[in-house]
């Protein structure tokens, strides 16, 4: 029954979403209730077309490790109100400080308009321009090998990651993959149950024969 429920939930999903704590979900609901527009980073960007599959996986893994993948982009005029709500909430917000005339995250990602969202493309681009594409002191940076830095913290993301969230095509592929896996599990479970029923029928037949004797 649990597998069937999971399958139905995935079939009804328009887009996969990262797992979120209930407190994060609650904060985002409060933003909606107060009319504050927002969009998670992964929903607002696509990979630059020249990136390889490996580079895409490296970048998504690094963004996830840094806590940026599902971090919110909020228009500057709503930032103060959003930060006030955050005092009694739980989430991550990108506070943009664009670094122009230098190599930044727009080298790897491009902003895309999001249907039904009042976050402007310029807000998305400002967020991308706030993260460098190379190491420089204690800045925030990510490169295509999955190396990243967050102030005094530096790291290297896990490799062999397949992008699941960045880009509409990645999300579509991941959704179809999960649905196929769940359907396969249900098929295997059904086959096992059929074997059990067949065995029970055999045992019942043997029992009836013994009673006759």
């Amino acid at each position: 029954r649990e597998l069937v429920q999971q399958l139905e939930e995935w079939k009804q999903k328009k887009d996969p979403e990262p797992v979120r704590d209930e407190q994060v979900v609650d904060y985002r609901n409060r933003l909606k209730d107060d009319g504050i527009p927002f969009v998670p980073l992964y929903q607002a960007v696509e990979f630059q077309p020249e990136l390889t599959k490996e580079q895409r996986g490296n970048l998504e893994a690094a963004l996830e490790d840094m806590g940026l993948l599902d971090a919110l982009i909020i228009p500057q005029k709503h930032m103060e109100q959003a930060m006030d709500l955050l005092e009694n909430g739980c989430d991550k917000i990108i506070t943009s400080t664009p670094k122009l005339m230098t190599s930044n995250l727009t080298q790897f990602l491009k902003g895309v308009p999001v249907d039904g969202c009042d976050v402007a493309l310029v807000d998305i681009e400002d967020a991308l321009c706030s993260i460098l594409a190379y190491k420089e002191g204690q800045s925030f940076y990510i490169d295509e090998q999955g190396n990243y830095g967050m102030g005094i913290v530096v790291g290297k993301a896990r490799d062999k990651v397949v992008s699941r969230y960045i880009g509409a095509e990645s999300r579509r592929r991941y959704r179809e993959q999960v649905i196929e896996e769940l359907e396969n599990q249900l098929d295997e479970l059904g086959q096992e149950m059929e074997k059990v029923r067949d065995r029970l029928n055999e045992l019942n037949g043997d029992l009836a024969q013994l009673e006759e004797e």
Side-chain angles (χ1 to χ4, degrees):
R1 180 178 295 180
E2 185 177 342
L3 279 176
V4 173
Q5 183 178 349
Q6 289 181 33
L7 179 59
E8 288 305 311
E9 288 175 355
W10 274 93
K11 284 184 175 180
Q12 292 172 14
K13 282 183 182 180
K14 181 180 177 182
D15 262 345
E17 297 180 341
V19 177
R20 298 180 181 123
D21 187 90
E22 289 183 5
Q23 295 180 64
V24 173
V25 174
D26 178 67
Y27 175 73
R28 298 188 183 190
N29 287 334
R30 289 164 61 200
L31 289 177
K32 291 178 184 177
D33 292 342
D34 283 17
I36 300 174
F38 65 89
V39 62
L41 177 66
Y42 77 88
Q43 282 188 348
V45 297
E46 293 271 359
F47 289 111
Q48 295 291 2
E50 65 272 15
L51 292 178
T52 66
K53 181 179 178 180
E54 180 182 6
Q55 289 171 332
R56 295 176 186 216
N58 291 341
L59 287 162
E60 182 163 312
L63 286 167
E64 184 175 7
D65 285 358
M66 296 174 76
L68 289 171
L69 186 67
D70 195 38
L72 299 183
I73 300 172
I74 295 176
Q76 191 59 42
K77 64 180 180 180
H78 295 283
M79 187 64 74
E80 184 176 352
Q81 189 180 358
M83 296 300 285
D84 287 343
L85 286 175
L86 191 59
E87 289 184 6
N88 295 302
C90 173
D91 211 335
K92 294 179 287 292
I93 299 172
I94 299 174
T95 54
S96 300
T97 53
K99 297 172 176 60
L100 306 176
M101 306 301 291
T102 188
S103 181
N104 54 50
L105 209 53
T106 57
Q107 180 174 332
F108 309 128
L109 302 171
K110 58 183 178 181
V112 294
V114 180
D115 291 340
C117 176
D118 291 331
V119 178
L121 193 58
V122 65
D123 296 312
I124 299 168
E125 295 289 346
D126 281 350
L128 296 177
C129 289
S130 300
I131 303 168
L132 295 177
Y134 62 93
K135 183 176 182 179
E136 183 181 79
Q138 293 186 344
S139 63
F140 262 66
Y141 81 93
I142 306 174
D143 66 23
E144 65 270 40
Q145 282 80 45
N147 299 300
Y148 62 88
M150 302 182 292
I152 62 172
V153 177
V154 295
K156 174 71 164 63
R158 60 203 183 280
D159 58 8
K160 299 180 181 178
V161 171
V162 176
S163 174
R164 298 184 298 179
Y165 297 110
I166 295 179
E169 177 60 23
S170 294
R171 294 193 292 276
R172 182 198 64 78
R173 185 177 59 245
Y174 177 49
R175 176 179 174 274
E176 290 181 352
Q177 175 190 336
V178 173
I179 288 174
E180 182 180 358
E181 289 175 353
L182 289 172
E183 287 177 337
N184 288 338
Q185 289 180 46
L186 281 171
D187 286 344
E188 291 175 4
L189 185 60
Q191 292 173 16
E192 289 299 319
M193 290 177 66
E194 188 65 31
K195 290 178 182 178
V196 170
R197 281 194 292 266
D198 289 344
R199 182 57 178 155
L200 283 173
N201 289 335
E202 289 178 8
L203 291 174
N204 287 332
D206 293 343
L207 181 60
Q209 185 175 358
L210 287 172
E211 290 176 345
E212 290 176 1
E213 294 176 356

